[in-house]
Amino acid sequence: MSRTIDFRKDLLPHSDRLFRLALRITLHRAEAEDIAEETLLRAWQRRDELGEINNLETYLLTICRRLSLDYLARKETANVSLTTHDADAPDRAASPHDRLATSDRLAWVKKIFDTLPEKQRSVVHLRDIEEKSVRETAEILGITPEDVKTTHHRARRFIRTQLDKIENYGL
């Protein structure tokens, strides 16, 4: 029972998630855009086989992750900070001081996040940002659910510890 895949209806809605995953892994906006496009292109080239796949999103995220890791292996890049958050986003902080504190905290979290190993960054991204289940994350990353739980816990603990050090003791 194979279904017909429509590019606009079935593949294109996943482009934002693919881009965000590639950006989290590569930390390079232009490459993340290219990887997301390449993922969609590769899936479209295999559209006859896609009708048999149970979870298209997981399939696409797996391709995207592999392409992102291939990019890292080819370029052997050092981690580069993600671009700053969107200044047009609504800010619900009560005062200018609170807004500054929130902005500083977010910048520190991003810097700490960028220092995590790729596996931990991927797990945190999929679990906390993309809100994937442990099972889905394990399937996308090709690891066991137990490994997802352990990696996620260690990454979040590291971020929390580093942030506490900064907030309580300075740089």
Side-chain angles (χ1 to χ4, degrees):
M1 165 174 111
S2 177
R3 64 184 177 97
T4 304
I5 298 296
D6 180 62
F7 186 82
R8 287 187 180 164
K9 184 180 145 224
D10 297 320
L11 296 178
L12 203 53
H14 299 287
S15 61
D16 287 342
R17 285 191 177 185
L18 297 172
F19 169 73
R20 288 191 305 263
L21 177 61
L23 183 61
R24 292 288 183 203
I25 294 172
T26 65
L27 302 174
H28 192 264
R29 187 173 203 82
E31 285 300 323
E33 290 171 356
D34 290 345
I35 289 168
E37 289 175 9
E38 178 69 19
T39 300
L40 292 174
L41 178 64
R42 286 188 182 196
W44 184 244
Q45 289 171 341
R46 302 186 84 184
R47 63 185 168 269
D48 296 335
E49 302 168 20
L50 294 181
E52 302 295 326
I53 294 174
N54 292 333
N55 191 336
L56 184 59
E57 182 182 21
T58 300
Y59 178 79
L60 292 171
L61 289 170
T62 301
I63 293 172
C64 182
R65 178 177 180 271
R66 288 181 181 154
L67 289 172
S68 299
L69 292 175
D70 288 347
Y71 164 78
L72 288 180
R74 280 191 322 270
K75 298 296 181 175
E76 297 179 2
T77 61
N79 287 342
V80 180
S81 295
L82 293 173
T83 58
T84 58
H85 70 287
D86 187 6
D88 295 330
D91 193 354
R92 300 191 185 346
S95 70
H97 180 270
D98 290 340
R99 286 194 303 269
L100 181 61
T102 300
S103 176
D104 285 347
R105 184 176 174 93
L106 179 61
W108 278 113
V109 169
K110 284 182 179 181
K111 285 180 183 179
I112 296 166
F113 181 83
D114 289 350
T115 66
L116 291 173
E118 181 280 323
K119 180 179 176 183
Q120 289 182 354
R121 281 196 323 262
S122 294
V123 168
V124 170
H125 175 80
L126 290 169
R127 293 283 295 131
D128 295 335
I129 296 169
E130 298 296 335
E131 298 179 346
K132 296 290 181 198
S133 69
V134 171
R135 183 187 57 74
E136 290 172 320
T137 302
E139 192 174 319
I140 291 166
L141 300 178
I143 58 178
T144 65
E146 293 77 21
D147 198 12
V148 169
K149 291 176 190 175
T150 302
T151 302
H152 187 239
H153 173 74
R154 288 178 181 164
R156 291 186 72 176
R157 183 179 60 199
F158 177 78
I159 292 170
R160 190 177 318 112
T161 301
Q162 295 301 101
L163 193 58
D164 285 346
K165 285 179 185 178
I166 292 166
E167 289 179 342
N168 294 327
Y169 305 109
L171 302 175

